[in-house]
Amino acid sequence: MLYDGPITLKANSEFDLIGCEVASKTVKAKVSGSFDFVADLADSKTVRAAVVIFQPGWPVPSDAELASMKVEYNLIDAFTLNGSLSGIATRIALLAQATWPLLKCKRALEKHINSTLPLSGITSKTSFELESDRLNLNSVISKKRLALTFSTPAVAHAPMEPESALVEFDGRQCEIWAPTQAPQHAKRQVADFLTLNRDDVELHTVPIGGSFGRKRYNDFVIETAWIAQRYFQ
């Protein structure tokens, strides 16, 4: 059924949001860096940490550059995690009293990586087009059978809740809260990596907020305990 009669629209003054200016209470604070994160309000004595992983060939900041970032972003410390966990990658640990400085410094490191990585090898062609060029597809398309093999690098998880953990370390015992899918392995790995007795490591498994499958690997738990041990020392 169609209605072809007159339609009366409400005036702008009758709307609560449409046509009205709504002031934001957080944007300015976020831009200025004065925004308070919930985690920062919970406990001002807890040290916040973030880890930035540099793959082989990426430009790793020098000790002097890390010292400069420490001052610029008001960090407690910034250092390289040297040890067997790193493997072929380099891990930079950032420590701060609040979350905002960590985010700003992490973004600065990401910008540094993107601005210094070589652009050679970047192409707009698809994998199919590249493989077709390599095989000279036009010359073999008339064959009865054509086999192409494609490969892609591992794609990183992008969960709503990133890998994170909370560690309390007193120099001898370690208590951990972490969203891990393998708590028994995590406890053993932390104890072995920090050379502690396994009975001196207590792990509380908290609900996992996504990234299922990824959180059966406990590198982020070990990293947090590793940073806590070094900070305590």
Side-chain angles (χ1 to χ4, degrees), residues 113-126:
I113 293 172
N114 293 332
S115 64
T116 53
L117 280 177
L119 298 179
S120 60
I122 297 179
T123 175
S124 59
K125 288 189 175 183
T126 65

Side-chain angles (χ1 to χ4, degrees), residues 6-213:
I7 299 176
T8 303
L9 300 178
K10 293 195 298 185
N12 287 344
S13 59
E14 298 181 73
F15 289 99
D16 293 329
L17 294 177
I18 299 177
C20 302
E21 293 186 1
V22 180
S24 172
K25 298 180 180 180
T26 59
V27 173
K28 183 177 180 181
K30 289 180 180 179
V31 174
S32 65
S34 60
F35 181 75
D36 292 325
F37 288 78
V38 175
D40 298 339
L41 298 175
D43 181 8
S44 60
K45 296 181 180 180
T46 301
V47 175
R48 280 78 190 170
V51 175
V52 181
I53 299 177
F54 291 76
Q55 299 298 337
W58 290 11
V60 179
S62 64
D63 291 341
E65 289 174 321
L66 290 178
S68 176
M69 287 183 173
K70 178 179 175 181
V71 175
E72 180 179 357
Y73 296 101
N74 194 28
L75 302 180
I76 296 175
D77 204 352
F79 53 84
T80 302
L81 289 171
N82 296 313
S84 57
L85 179 64
S86 295
I88 59 175
T90 300
R91 286 170 162 80
I92 300 294
L94 310 172
L95 280 69
Q97 201 65 49
T99 303
W100 186 260
L102 289 180
L103 295 180
K104 291 198 294 183
C105 188
K106 182 175 180 290
R107 289 169 184 166
L109 286 175
E110 292 170 349
K111 184 177 180 180
H112 171 72
I113 293 172
N114 293 332
S115 64
T116 53
L117 280 177
L119 298 179
S120 60
I122 297 179
T123 175
S124 59
K125 288 189 175 183
T126 65
S127 298
F128 181 81
E129 291 171 332
L130 292 172
E131 188 70 1
S132 299
D133 293 343
R134 187 182 70 83
L135 295 175
N136 190 12
L137 188 59
N138 292 331
S139 65
V140 298
I141 199 67
S142 60
K143 293 185 177 181
K144 294 182 179 180
R145 182 175 181 180
L146 178 65
L148 298 178
T149 301
F150 301 96
S151 60
T152 180
V155 179
H157 279 64
M160 294 182 65
E161 180 210 60
E163 292 72 38
S164 59
L166 174 66
V167 175
E168 184 175 1
F169 184 73
D170 63 4
R172 186 178 61 85
Q173 294 180 321
C174 185
E175 190 169 5
I176 304 169
W177 293 261
T180 172
Q181 291 177 256
Q184 297 86 355
H185 295 294
K187 178 176 179 177
R188 184 188 71 249
Q189 290 169 334
V190 169
D192 293 346
F193 194 86
L194 301 186
T195 62
L196 299 174
N197 295 323
R198 295 183 184 178
D199 291 339
D200 291 331
V201 177
E202 184 177 1
L203 190 144
H204 308 278
T205 305
V206 300
I208 300 176
S211 190
F212 304 108

